[in-house]
Amino acid sequence: MAAAAECDVVMAETEPELLDDEEAKREAESFKEQGNAYYAKKDYNEAYNYYTKAIDMCPKNASYYGNRAATLMMLGRFREALGDAQQSVRLDDSFVRGHLREGKCHLSLGNAMAARRSFQRALELDHKNAQAQQEFKNANAVIEYEKIAETDFEKRDFRKVVFCMDRALEYAPACHRFKIIKAECLAMLGRHPEAQSVASDILRMDSTNADALYVRGLCLYYEDCIEKAVQFFVQALRMAPDHEKACVACRNAKALKAKKEDGNKAFKEGNYKLAYELYTEALGIDPNNIKTNAKLYCNRGTVNSKLRKLDDAIEDCTNAVKLDDTYIKAYLRRAQCYMDTEQYEEAVRDYEKVYQTEKTKEHKQLLKNAQLELKKSKRKDYYKILGVDKNASEDEIKKAYRKRALMHHPDRHSGASAEVQKEEEKKFKEVGEAFTILSDPKKKTRYDSGQDLDEEGMNMGDFDANNIFKAFFGGPGGFSFEASGPGNFFFQFG
C-alpha cells in the first residue's frame, strides 16, 4: 500500500498544468504566426513543426490544418497533406482554401475525379475564384488524358500513351499510377533505361509497390535477362498475388527460357530438326519480346544453314535484324549464307554494316573476301563456260574445250539463221577465252585470285578464237566440218 501511495505522489508531481481555452487559443495563434514566418522563409520543416504545435493546442481550428496541409504539399507529402485538407473542410465546410487544397492533393496524387468534386465545391462557395476555375479545368484535362491513354494503350500506340502520361504528370506529379503506365509503355518501346529509372524511383519510396516491381522485371525481360526478370515478377506476385500482368509475364519468361535452353541443347547434340521445332515454338510464346525473339530467329537461321536450307536461313536472319538492327551475329550469319548462295552484293552490304559497327581484323578480312568474290562474279565465269569444276585437271580442261569448241564452231552452224550463227559465234569465242586462261597456269592463278588479267597486257577482246581452235586441233587445214545430210555434221582431221 505504501508503494502505491508513493507512486500516486510521483504522478501528481509530473502532471502538467492545464491551460484555459482562451490561453490555449492565444498559444496556438502564436505557434501559427511562427509557422507562417517559417513558411514565408520556405523553411517548411520548421513551419510544419509550429503548425503541428498549433493543432495540438487547438485541434478544432480548420485553418491550422489548412496551413499544415499547404506546408506538406510544399514538402511533396501529398498523401499526408490530403488528410489535413480533408480534416480542415470537415471542421469548416465553408473553408474555400481547404477545398482547394484537398482538390490539389487529389489531383497531384492522380485522382482527378475527386479533385474535380473538391474544386466544384470551392466554386459553389466562391464562383468567381480564379484558382478554383483553373484547377477545375486542369482536373478535366487530366481526365481526358487518362481516357485517351487508355484507348491508345489498347491500340498499342505506346508513344501516344507516354505523351498523355507526361502531360497528366504535369498536373499530377505524385501519381505513381501514371508513372507506372508511362514506364510500362517505355519498356514496350524498348526505352528500357528510362523505364527502369521511373520504376526505381517509385521503389525507393515504396519497395513493396507491385506495379513498379513488375515494370522493373519487364525491362529485364525485354533485355533478354530472363532469369533476373523472373525474380522481379515473383516478388511482384508476393506483394500482389492477383497481379495479372506479372503473372502472364512470369509464365512467358519461364516458358521462353525453357524452350530456348532446350533448343540450344538439341543444337549442340546435332539434332537440328528438334532444335528447329523448339526455336519455332519459342518464337510463338511472346511476339513483344523483341530482343529474345531476334536471338531465336538467328538461332533458327543457324539451324537452317546446317540443314542447307539457305534461303530459309537468310529469311530468319532478316527477321532477326528487323527486330534488332544492332544484332551483329545475325548480320554475320546472313552474310555467310549470301556467300554460300553466291549473292555477293548482299554479302558485301552485310559485312560493311558489321565492319562499320565493329572494326576488327576478322571483320575486315570477311569484308575483303566478299568484295573479292563480288569482283570475280562480275567477270565471265570461265569454269562455267567450259562446264568444269574449279578444281578441274589440265586433261579435264582440254577435254571440255574440245567438246565445247566443236559444239559451238561457226562452221557447224553455217546453215542456221543469222541470229543463231551470231549467238554460236559468241559462245565459240568465249570457249576460246576460257581455254586460253585456264590452260595457262600463271593466268589461271591470277584469274582464281581475282586479279585483272589486263594487267599482263592481254586484251581478251582482241584475240582470235579460230587461232586457238587451229592450234588445239593441229594447225591450218587440220580440221573441217562436212555435211552428211540435212541437219547432220561430222568432223574430220587432215
Side-chain angles (χ1 to χ4, degrees):
M1 292 295 292
E6 185 177 352
C7 184
D8 288 340
V9 172
V10 172
M11 289 179 68
E13 288 177 353
T14 59
E15 187 175 334
E17 184 179 349
L18 295 175
L19 300 176
D20 58 38
D21 287 347
E22 288 303 317
E23 196 173 350
K25 288 178 181 178
R26 285 194 298 273
E27 188 83 16
E29 277 297 304
S30 175
F31 287 139
K32 185 197 81 168
E33 293 300 326
Q34 292 179 74
N36 290 347
Y38 280 113
Y39 188 94
K41 292 190 291 185
K42 298 183 179 181
D43 188 345
Y44 302 117
N45 286 311
E46 278 302 306
Y48 171 84
N49 291 334
Y50 279 98
Y51 290 141
T52 299
K53 290 177 181 179
I55 289 171
D56 289 342
M57 297 302 297
C58 278
K60 300 295 184 182
N61 189 305
S63 68
Y64 298 166
Y65 286 99
N67 287 1
R68 192 168 73 173
T71 302
L72 286 166
M73 289 168 69
M74 296 306 294
L75 290 169
R77 293 158 62 180
F78 292 100
R79 202 162 295 282
E80 295 171 72
L82 176 62
D84 275 354
Q86 289 174 325
Q87 178 63 11
S88 74
V89 296
R90 275 195 292 267
L91 292 170
D92 181 3
D93 186 53
S94 65
F95 186 26
V96 174
R97 286 188 180 180
H99 287 293
L100 285 172
R101 285 166 185 157
E102 180 186 3
K104 190 67 175 174
C105 288
H106 278 309
L107 189 58
S108 295
L109 291 166
N111 191 345
M113 294 295 288
R116 190 166 65 175
R117 287 194 294 270
S118 295
F119 297 136
Q120 181 64 50
R121 178 58 182 150
L123 286 170
E124 289 171 3
L125 295 169
D126 181 5
H127 69 277
K128 292 183 179 180
N129 189 295
Q131 184 184 354
Q133 291 171 353
Q134 183 58 52
E135 294 293 1
F136 187 80
K137 290 179 182 178
N138 293 346
N140 283 330
V142 171
I143 290 169
E144 187 63 24
Y145 284 130
E146 283 190 83
K147 288 179 181 177
I148 295 170
E150 184 178 356
T151 301
D152 288 328
F153 193 95
E154 290 177 1
K155 294 178 181 177
R156 301 184 65 79
D157 188 349
F158 300 122
R159 294 182 193 281
K160 197 168 180 183
V161 177
V162 170
F163 173 82
C164 288
M165 290 300 97
D166 278 337
R167 300 291 79 75
L169 283 164
E170 290 174 3
Y171 303 111
C175 181
H176 285 180
R177 183 166 55 87
F178 291 168
K179 290 178 182 179
I180 288 295
I181 293 171
K182 174 184 174 180
E184 183 177 2
C185 290
L186 288 171
M188 300 297 277
L189 290 167
R191 293 161 63 179
H192 302 134
E194 295 172 73
Q196 287 179 25
S197 177
V198 174
S200 296
D201 285 344
I202 294 173
L203 288 171
R204 274 193 288 273
M205 293 181 279
D206 178 10
S207 62
T208 65
N209 189 299
D211 290 325
L213 289 167
Y214 159 71
V215 170
R216 187 72 183 86
L218 197 65
C219 292
L220 291 165
Y221 173 64
Y222 285 149
E223 288 176 335
D224 198 40
C225 300
I226 294 179
E227 196 167 340
K228 289 183 179 178
V230 169
Q231 294 174 7
F232 276 93
F233 295 144
V234 169
Q235 195 174 348
L237 289 168
R238 283 200 199 103
M239 300 300 114
D242 296 329
H243 199 294
E244 187 177 347
K245 288 184 177 180
C247 185
V248 171
C250 190
R251 184 170 62 246
N252 286 344
K254 288 179 177 179
L256 261 180
K257 183 174 181 290
K259 288 290 183 186
K260 185 180 177 184
E261 288 177 351
D262 288 346
N264 292 345
K265 182 181 178 184
F267 180 84
K268 289 176 183 177
E269 292 173 352
N271 191 343
Y272 301 131
K273 184 179 179 182
L274 178 59
Y276 178 90
E277 291 172 358
L278 289 165
Y279 289 141
T280 301
E281 289 173 13
L283 282 164
I285 291 172
D286 184 3
N288 296 321
N289 195 325
I290 290 173
K291 208 150 195 174
T292 301
N293 287 342
K295 291 183 178 180
L296 288 168
Y297 272 120
C298 188
N299 287 359
R300 196 174 72 173
T302 303
V303 170
N304 276 323
S305 70
K306 291 289 185 181
L307 294 170
R308 303 311 295 167
K309 296 180 178 179
L310 298 179
D311 289 340
D312 290 342
I314 289 170
E315 183 180 355
D316 276 341
C317 292
T318 299
N319 285 329
V321 298
K322 280 180 181 177
L323 293 176
D324 182 1
D325 63 0
T326 66
Y327 193 12
I328 295 299
K329 189 176 179 180
Y331 284 110
L332 288 171
R333 172 59 57 194
R334 187 172 69 174
Q336 184 57 58
C337 291
Y338 280 140
M339 291 291 287
D340 292 341
T341 53
E342 298 184 1
Q343 299 180 67
Y344 299 121
E345 288 188 7
E346 290 82 356
V348 167
R349 188 165 59 244
D350 277 354
Y351 283 132
E352 283 177 340
K353 171 77 174 177
V354 170
Y355 185 62
Q356 287 168 5
T357 306
E358 294 183 0
K359 295 184 181 295
T360 67
K361 288 183 179 180
E362 180 185 359
H363 294 158
K364 185 177 182 180
Q365 188 59 49
L366 288 169
L367 173 59
K368 188 176 179 181
N369 292 344
Q371 289 170 333
L372 176 59
E373 291 302 321
L374 175 60
K375 180 180 177 182
K376 287 162 67 175
S377 72
K378 290 183 176 180
R379 306 174 310 173
K380 291 178 181 178
D381 187 341
Y382 290 136
Y383 291 102
K384 187 175 181 180
I385 289 170
L386 286 184
V388 296
D389 186 80
K390 291 184 179 181
N391 297 316
S393 66
E394 187 177 343
D395 285 342
E396 288 173 331
I397 290 171
K398 286 180 178 181
K399 287 178 182 178
Y401 172 69
R402 178 189 294 274
K403 179 181 177 182
R404 296 298 173 102
L406 293 174
M407 183 185 300
H408 300 297
H409 194 286
D411 289 350
R412 187 183 183 96
H413 303 280
S414 58
S417 66
E419 186 178 347
V420 170
Q421 287 186 39
K422 185 176 181 181
E423 181 64 25
E424 293 298 328
E425 185 177 350
K426 178 185 175 184
K427 290 179 179 179
F428 178 69
K429 183 177 179 181
E430 288 178 341
V431 168
E433 287 181 25
F435 179 70
T436 300
I437 300 303
L438 300 183
S439 63
D440 184 319
K442 186 176 180 181
K443 289 188 177 74
K444 182 176 184 296
T445 299
R446 291 179 63 82
Y447 174 78
D448 288 343
S449 65
Q451 297 181 60
D452 291 326
L453 297 170
D454 289 343
E455 291 177 7
E456 285 195 344
M458 179 177 180
N459 187 336
M460 299 306 295
D462 293 338
F463 88 107
D464 189 339
N466 286 309
N467 289 337
I468 304 295
F469 185 84
K470 289 175 183 177
F472 185 87
F473 284 102
F479 178 87
S480 66
F481 282 93
E482 292 184 5
S484 61
N488 297 317
F489 292 87
F490 70 95
F491 60 89
Q492 63 179 16
F493 291 94

